[in-house]
Amino acid sequence: RQEVPNVIELPGRIEAVRSAEVRARSDGIVLRRLYEEGASVAAGTPLFEIDPRDYRAQVQSAEAALQRAIAAQQNAASIVTRYEPLIAERAVSAQEFDAAQSDLRQANAQVSEARAALDRAKLQLSYTTVRAPIAGRASSAEVTEGALVSGAEGTLLTRVDQVSPVYAEFSVSSASVLDTFAQVRSGELAVPDLETIEVSLILENGEEYGPVGHLDFASPVVSPETGSQTLRARFANPQRLLAPGQFVRGRIRLGVRKDGMTVPARAVQFQGSQPQVSVMAEDGSVKARKVRLGALLGKDWIVNEGLKPGERVIVEGWAKLRPGQKATEAKREAKREAKAPSKGTARAGGA
C-alpha cells in the first residue's frame, strides 16, 4: 500500500471555448465570399460582401436631409438673432419672438433627427460587409454568391469557432460523485481545489495528448435525462490537434488515495480486455485473480479492486504456470546461479 493518485477515466468531447454564428443583418444579394473556408480568421476579418448600392443611396439621401435641416436651423437662428435687440425697443412683439425661438428649437431637433437617420443609414451600409465577430476557424459557407439573404430572418452565413484554447467536457454519474464525497469525508481521499486538478487526454487513435489541462467547471445540476453531471477542463491547443466535436477520453487526477495499492506492470496479464494477476497461496498453489485497474503509474499499475495487502503476486514466470498448479519461489541469487530454471519455478512479489 502507498499513496497513489486517484485517477478516473471518463469519455468526453471537445467543445469550442467560443462559437459564433455569422448571420446576415441586412437584406440583399451576396456578391462575394471574402475568406477561405476552414482558414483561421481574426476578429473583424471581412467574410462576405452583400450588394451595398441600395444602402449607399440611403446614406446619400440621409446626408441631403441633414443638409436641409442644418439650413433650416441656420435660418431660424438668424431670425432669433435679429429679433433679440428689437424686442427691447418693442419693434417686435413678444409673441413673434417666442414663435421665432420655438422655430429654432424645432430646427435643432430636426438636425438631431437627421443626424441619427444618417448614422443609422451608415450602420446599415456597414452591415453589407459581414465580418468575423470573434477570432477562430471559419467553417464552410452556408450560402453562395448570388444568394438572397435576409437581415430580418438572420440568414446563417457561416460559423466561427475559437480553437485555442478549447474545452473538454466529461459526464460523470451522480452516484460516482456521491461516492467521492463519502471518501473525502472519511479521509480516504484527499481532493485539492478544482482549478488545480490535472486532466490528461487520450485521443481517438490511442495516443496521449501532450499539454495537460485543468478542471475549471463542475456542474451543480444533475441531468434528469442521463443522471450525470458535467465536468469541464480547459486545454491549450497550439497545434490545432483538438477540434470541436472530437471524442476523447480524459484521465482526471482527482486527488490522492492514502491507502492505494500497486503491482508491477509485468505482473498483469490481459485476457481480452479483462486484466488479471496470478496469485500464489501459502501452500504454493497458483490462482488467476481478476482485478480492476486504475491508471499506469510509472512501471506499476494501480489496483482498485481484486487484491488484498500481503498477498503474493507472481511477477516473473507466470506464463509457465496454470491455475491450480503449485510453484516454488526462486530467489534472485539462486536464479542467476542456476543454469536452467526448473519447470514451475516463479518469482513472486508482495502486493
Side-chain angles (χ1 to χ4, degrees):
R1 286 184 179 274
Q2 59 176 311
E3 285 192 356
V4 297
N6 179 41
V7 180
I8 60 174
E9 188 166 323
L10 298 172
R13 194 173 67 171
I14 300 301
E15 299 286 348
V17 171
R18 291 192 299 168
S19 182
E21 292 184 340
V22 181
R23 295 183 177 272
R25 300 183 66 179
S26 60
D27 303 333
I29 302 296
V30 176
L31 296 183
R32 289 187 299 162
R33 172 171 57 83
L34 304 175
Y35 75 101
E36 183 179 351
E37 294 174 313
S40 296
V41 297
T45 300
L47 302 179
F48 294 90
E49 183 184 5
I50 300 173
D51 190 352
R53 290 174 294 181
D54 182 49
Y55 295 98
R56 285 175 182 163
Q58 293 180 24
V59 170
Q60 293 173 354
S61 176
E63 289 175 343
L66 177 60
Q67 293 301 320
R68 287 195 300 271
I70 291 175
Q73 178 195 42
Q74 292 174 346
N75 182 59
S78 64
I79 293 176
V80 171
T81 301
R82 288 196 301 270
Y83 281 5
E84 283 179 345
L86 299 178
I87 190 68
E89 300 175 359
R90 298 184 180 276
V92 175
S93 66
Q95 183 177 3
E96 289 176 322
F97 185 66
D98 291 342
Q101 288 182 315
S102 175
D103 291 342
L104 178 58
R105 288 192 291 269
Q106 291 183 30
N108 291 336
Q110 289 173 352
V111 170
S112 299
E113 183 180 4
R115 282 205 172 97
L118 177 60
D119 291 341
R120 179 174 177 77
K122 289 181 177 179
L123 183 62
Q124 290 296 324
L125 177 61
S126 70
Y127 290 158
T128 60
T129 300
V130 182
R131 301 179 182 274
I134 61 174
R137 182 170 294 173
S139 300
S140 60
E142 299 290 335
V143 297
T144 59
E145 289 84 350
L148 177 64
V149 296
S150 170
E153 297 179 0
T155 305
L156 178 63
L157 304 180
T158 188
R159 293 177 175 84
V160 178
D161 297 312
Q162 181 178 331
V163 293
S164 182
V166 294
Y167 287 139
E169 292 191 353
F170 309 98
S171 294
V172 58
S173 67
S174 58
S176 297
V177 175
L178 293 175
D179 290 342
T180 300
F181 285 154
Q183 293 169 3
V184 172
R185 288 194 298 268
S186 66
E188 179 184 349
L189 181 64
V191 178
D193 295 336
L194 180 70
E195 295 78 8
T196 62
I197 295 177
E198 294 184 351
V199 183
S200 58
L201 292 182
I202 306 300
L203 303 179
E204 292 174 295
N205 61 359
E207 294 184 359
E208 185 171 350
Y209 180 66
V212 175
H214 293 84
L215 288 183
D216 71 342
F217 173 75
S219 174
V221 179
V222 177
S223 170
E225 291 83 10
T226 62
S228 62
Q229 295 175 248
T230 298
L231 298 177
R232 189 182 71 190
R234 189 183 182 101
F235 287 85
N237 191 24
Q239 298 180 348
R240 307 296 193 267
L241 292 179
L242 302 178
Q246 181 178 351
F247 287 96
V248 294
R249 294 193 67 82
R251 290 176 178 169
I252 304 173
R253 298 174 69 91
L254 194 60
V256 176
R257 290 189 179 276
K258 298 181 179 179
D259 292 326
M261 190 179 300
T262 63
V263 295
R266 61 183 184 277
V268 180
Q269 311 136 43
F270 286 89
Q271 299 293 330
S273 60
Q274 175 61 54
Q276 65 181 28
V277 296
S278 296
V279 180
M280 181 184 292
E282 290 297 332
D283 62 357
S285 60
V286 179
K287 183 178 181 181
R289 181 85 58 80
K290 293 181 179 179
V291 294
R292 185 168 67 86
L293 300 178
L296 185 62
L297 186 63
K299 297 182 178 180
D300 297 332
W301 277 108
I302 297 174
V303 180
N304 293 330
E305 290 182 4
L307 288 177
K308 298 178 181 179
E311 289 187 308
R312 293 190 299 171
V313 175
I314 297 178
V315 178
E316 295 178 4
W318 52 261
K320 304 175 184 179
L321 303 175
R322 296 294 180 269
Q325 180 182 359
K326 289 192 175 183
T328 58
E329 179 180 353
K331 302 298 182 181
R332 285 183 178 271
E333 294 78 10
K335 187 175 181 181
R336 282 198 296 266
E337 293 173 0
K339 294 182 180 179
S342 60
K343 184 177 180 180
T345 300
R347 186 169 67 83

